[in-house]
Amino acid sequence: MRYWLVKTEPEEFSYEDLERDKMVEWTGVRNYQARNFLKEMKRGDKVLFYHSGKERAVVGLSKVEKEFYIDPTDTTDKWVSVDLIPVQKFVNHITLDYFKSSDVLNTSYLVRQSRLSVMPLDEKQFSLILESGNIG
DNA sequence: GCCAACGTTGGC
DNA sequence: GCCAACGTTGGC
């Protein structure tokens, strides 16, 4: 089991939208590093939902329902998508500031590589986030 | 609204 | 293959 974090602008697609829709095809990733991480995702892996922009916080937990396949919005057959389903909404949102203030979390891609939109987390980071989010 | 940190494109 | 110009993301 591996742990991941995906970014989304809530005005475009939020965790609430995922709960409403029950499933999302994670399309539109056009960055090689992010794509390679999408390809490593296995069914059942946990995926944190991060709202970028004004919120800048982890707000929910999802999991991989379907492993990677060719992104249907891509005409070059080069990019991939996965399907995600909702698991649980966070009671406490875990902010970017909290990531920065934590010795465990400030080494994460979220802090160190701010433009990456799909990234792995290690188990220690993941469990701290769940614990702090009060859904552990 | 600005800009740093990228990534991409295209001329040479 | 290099690099200038441009575009995008996302934090501040």
Side-chain angles (χ1 to χ4, degrees), chain A residues 4 11 23 27 33-34 36 38 46 49 70 72 98 100 102:
Chain A
W4 308 93
E11 294 81 7
M23 192 276 280
T27 60
Q33 198 179 0
N36 292 341
L38 283 181
K46 303 289 176 56
F49 238 67
I70 295 293
Y98 182 81
K100 289 179 175 173
S102 157

Side-chain angles (χ1 to χ4, degrees), chain A residues 1-50:
Chain A
M1 159 93 60
R2 295 185 65 189
Y3 309 100
W4 308 93
L5 182 150
V6 296
K7 285 184 183 173
T8 177
E9 291 190 47
E11 294 81 7
E12 282 188 19
F13 189 85
S14 68
Y15 190 75
E16 288 70 27
D17 293 330
L18 177 60
E19 288 187 321
R20 181 197 62 210
D21 297 347
K22 314 288 190 220
M23 192 276 280
V24 62
E25 297 182 320
W26 206 252
T27 60
V29 171
R30 296 292 183 271
N31 170 283
Y32 287 104
Q33 198 179 0
R35 183 199 66 176
N36 292 341
F37 287 141
L38 283 181
K39 285 185 167 184
E40 292 177 23
M41 289 186 182
K42 295 297 180 192
R43 183 179 155 89
D45 279 1
K46 303 289 176 56
V47 183
L48 294 165
F49 238 67
Y50 176 86

Side-chain angles (χ1 to χ4, degrees), chain A residues 61-72:
Chain A
L61 177 63
S62 66
K63 67 179 177 182
V64 178
E65 172 70 4
K66 185 178 173 189
E67 293 176 14
F68 81 91
Y69 54 93
I70 295 293
D71 185 337

Side-chain angles (χ1 to χ4, degrees), chain A residues 6-132:
Chain A
V6 296
K7 285 184 183 173
T8 177
E9 291 190 47
E11 294 81 7
E12 282 188 19
F13 189 85
S14 68
Y15 190 75
E16 288 70 27
D17 293 330
L18 177 60
E19 288 187 321
R20 181 197 62 210
D21 297 347
K22 314 288 190 220
M23 192 276 280
V24 62
E25 297 182 320
W26 206 252
T27 60
V29 171
R30 296 292 183 271
N31 170 283
Y32 287 104
Q33 198 179 0
R35 183 199 66 176
N36 292 341
F37 287 141
L38 283 181
K39 285 185 167 184
E40 292 177 23
M41 289 186 182
K42 295 297 180 192
R43 183 179 155 89
D45 279 1
K46 303 289 176 56
V47 183
L48 294 165
F49 238 67
Y50 176 86
H51 283 176
S52 62
K54 284 187 79 173
E55 288 189 45
R56 296 194 296 280
V58 175
V59 299
L61 177 63
S62 66
K63 67 179 177 182
V64 178
E65 172 70 4
K66 185 178 173 189
E67 293 176 14
F68 81 91
Y69 54 93
I70 295 293
D71 185 337
T73 69
D74 169 37
T75 52
T76 67
D77 289 356
K78 204 165 65 167
W79 305 103
V80 303
S81 307
V82 298
D83 289 355
L84 302 177
I85 58 174
V87 174
Q88 196 176 347
K89 185 187 257 183
F90 273 45
V91 176
N92 302 323
H93 290 185
I94 306 306
T95 64
L96 179 61
D97 285 343
Y98 182 81
F99 271 70
K100 289 179 175 173
S101 71
S102 157
D103 289 342
V104 173
L105 298 175
N106 68 10
T107 58
S108 66
Y109 281 105
L110 190 69
V111 176
R112 298 200 324 207
Q113 203 175 322
S114 69
R115 292 186 57 200
L116 188 63
S117 65
V118 179
M119 64 192 74
L121 293 166
D122 65 32
E123 209 218 326
K124 195 174 171 190
Q125 293 168 336
F126 180 79
S127 49
L128 174 60
I129 293 165
L130 281 202
E131 217 173 276
S132 309

